[in-house]
Amino acid sequence: AGALLAAAVVLGMAIYAYEMLPTKEYAEYSVRGGGGEAAGGGASYEWATNWSLHPLELITYIVPSWFGFGAQVGLDWKGQAVNQFPGYWGWMPSTDNPPYIGIVPVILAIFALIYRRNRMTWFLAGFSVIVFFISFGRFLPVLYNLFYHYFPYFNKFRAPSLILFLIPLTVGLLGVYGMSWILDAGQKGHHGAGASAPDRKILKWVYVAAGVFVLTLIGKQVLFDMFPSSAFTKEGDPFNQQTMPVVREIRFELLWRDVLKVSGISVVLLGLIAAHLRRKIGAATMSVGIVALLVIDLAVIDQQFIHPRPKTDLQASLQADATMQFLKSDTTTFRVMALEQNLFRDNTLMNHSLQSVTGYSPAKLKIYQEMYDSALVHPVDPVMPVNMNVVRMMNAKYVISPTMLPPDRFQQVFADPAKKLVTYRTVGALRRAWFTDSVFTAGSKSEMYATMNSPEWQPDKLAILNEPVPEGITSPDSAWVQVTSFGAHAISLRAYTSTPGLMVLSEVYYPAGWTATVDGAETKIFRTNAVLRSVVVPAGEHEVKFVFDPESFRLGSTVTTAGWGVVLLLVAVGLFRDETIRGLLAKKG
């Protein structure tokens, strides 16, 4: 059985090899892999542990709003609707919802651990503890550090708290064992056997939960005053001193409501269980009541952050607005720089097949993220929020802005009053490829980015390399480059230079799979200006091609094809071994 399992795993990996091998190769160059071939690293520890669960936040499994609720919560407070309110005030940068799974399965799981301890319940409990310790990340790194430093590929992941998605499975199964004991105990009549009988213990907890409910209901202000002034606030909250008292009251309101709800549900749940153990109600009545409590509990939580909308809303959001329609009317090769906050961070432009300087990717290339942090968002002009020299080198023909831009450097070409966005043509934006006048070799990253952040740097005049300047490169008296074909896997250009020169292509440098040829002869690709690529072109007119054909994909495709071949062979063997199939074949023979 073990051998068959191992063979199945190997076969499954073989079928997936066409995607797995290129992904593994790309990971080494991404922000999750250290940024270079054979780097042997992963996501930086600080970046990887941003979303670590503080141990104190485990209380949110009991009271979901103990540390607030969500990045954009809506509620009615003192007769007024409060929407888009950052309710969360825990240790993570932000979160949409707590890891709450319902008080009902938690209580049932406790019954399992008290009354139905066996190998499976101990395993589920132990596995849950391991999950919790990993989710603590940097706050309690006893177990997380072991995984981060020694388990293969674990350091490629971020957000330790995401592992908590396993807890609904483990606690849910424990809850099943707890429910099984309750049903068995009620059937066998385990009640009234003295002060230590389960039903008497449960009644005591009914009184405790009822007391919490009553005290919370009548002592709201007293409870609020018991919290220190630092409660319900977190570093980085976008509120001033005048509004912070109101913020604290709103966040306490979330907590207060959840304590009432959880204590009330606990009273009813424990009461149903006690009544069943005393044979006051049947198993069916109790079970229906428990399911109803679970549905009510989770429905109240879900409505705070799950807002179903018709499919037509999604389709409408993907429709090109006036600005997108204008940009799509330009059939040339170009990129767009969006200064509007939402467009700057999301992938709206990509949805419309428009190339963008910015956007979101959870595993972007490390060199691009470094360029973004070290150069793009470092303005060299006080009028602009970004480094326009970098924007120019990225072939950003258009800039979208919610504000007016200097007319001497930007030509307004379109305006969308509905979205309050203006589209400008960037004066001096470089084309997709050009010949540089001179070349400079940077001795370090700091020197490279210092040059790029200098107001005097002009990307079309000075190319910055990370290795020695190729011999024989001079500033050509005349030169031109024309893109003849442009695709995701192949780019062709016609280029002319009067003397041997360095041709810069405004495409991201990625050595794993890209090759370049000049008139069919392969040539070296240089990393240029932190993220671009360049090649040496001899004097005269030449055809330059860049082709993406990674060995990892070709090898993976071969392995995948072989894997499917083995699968088909195994299916054929299995069918032939079936007596019914053999009988049918014999009859046809």
Side-chain angles (χ1 to χ4, degrees), residues 136-199:
F136 294 154
R138 59 189 170 92
F139 293 117
L140 193 60
V142 176
L143 194 55
Y144 179 84
N145 283 0
L146 175 66
F147 277 81
Y148 179 84
H149 291 294
Y150 299 108
F151 276 60
Y153 302 107
F154 188 87
N155 59 9
K156 303 292 189 290
F157 300 98
R158 71 181 305 199
S161 60
L162 286 181
I163 199 173
L164 293 173
F165 281 107
L166 292 172
I167 293 300
L169 174 63
T170 58
V171 175
L173 290 174
L174 282 171
V176 171
Y177 278 95
M179 188 68 178
S180 173
W181 176 85
I182 293 169
L183 293 172
D184 290 346
Q187 184 178 6
K188 294 176 181 177
H190 289 184
H191 57 89
S196 61
D199 58 322

Side-chain angles (χ1 to χ4, degrees), residues 27-36 38-49 144 148-149 151-158 366:
E28 300 303 328
Y29 296 91
S30 74
V31 292
R32 296 175 183 260
S44 67
Y45 188 86
E46 181 180 359
W47 186 79
T49 57
Y144 179 84
Y148 179 84
H149 291 294
F151 276 60
Y153 302 107
F154 188 87
N155 59 9
K156 303 292 189 290
F157 300 98
R158 71 181 305 199
K366 181 71 172 292

Side-chain angles (χ1 to χ4, degrees), residues 96-161:
D96 290 328
N97 57 281
Y100 185 71
I101 60 174
I103 192 63
V104 173
V106 170
I107 291 177
L108 293 178
I110 293 173
F111 273 91
L113 296 176
I114 295 176
Y115 297 111
R116 182 144 286 181
R117 290 192 291 267
N118 55 38
R119 292 175 63 183
M120 180 57 72
T121 54
W122 278 119
F123 167 77
L124 292 171
F127 188 81
S128 298
V129 171
I130 292 174
V131 168
F132 283 132
F133 269 93
I134 294 176
S135 73
F136 294 154
R138 59 189 170 92
F139 293 117
L140 193 60
V142 176
L143 194 55
Y144 179 84
N145 283 0
L146 175 66
F147 277 81
Y148 179 84
H149 291 294
Y150 299 108
F151 276 60
Y153 302 107
F154 188 87
N155 59 9
K156 303 292 189 290
F157 300 98
R158 71 181 305 199
S161 60

Side-chain angles (χ1 to χ4, degrees), residues 541-552:
E541 185 174 340
H542 303 276
E543 182 181 30
V544 183
K545 287 187 176 181
F546 292 84
V547 177
F548 185 64
D549 185 23
E551 174 66 25
S552 59

Side-chain angles (χ1 to χ4, degrees), residues 301-320:
I301 290 292
D302 291 348
Q303 61 88 26
Q304 295 188 55
F305 66 96
I306 297 178
H307 307 288
R309 293 188 295 174
K311 186 178 180 180
T312 53
D313 286 7
L314 174 62
Q315 295 171 341
S317 68
L318 295 175
Q319 293 297 315

Side-chain angles (χ1 to χ4, degrees), residues 318-332 334 336 349 351-354 398:
L318 295 175
Q319 293 297 315
D321 59 20
T323 299
M324 299 300 132
Q325 291 176 359
F326 169 78
L327 294 172
K328 292 172 73 172
S329 67
D330 188 335
T331 57
T332 62
F334 64 90
V336 181
L349 289 160
N351 293 338
H352 300 286
S353 301
L354 293 166
Y398 298 102

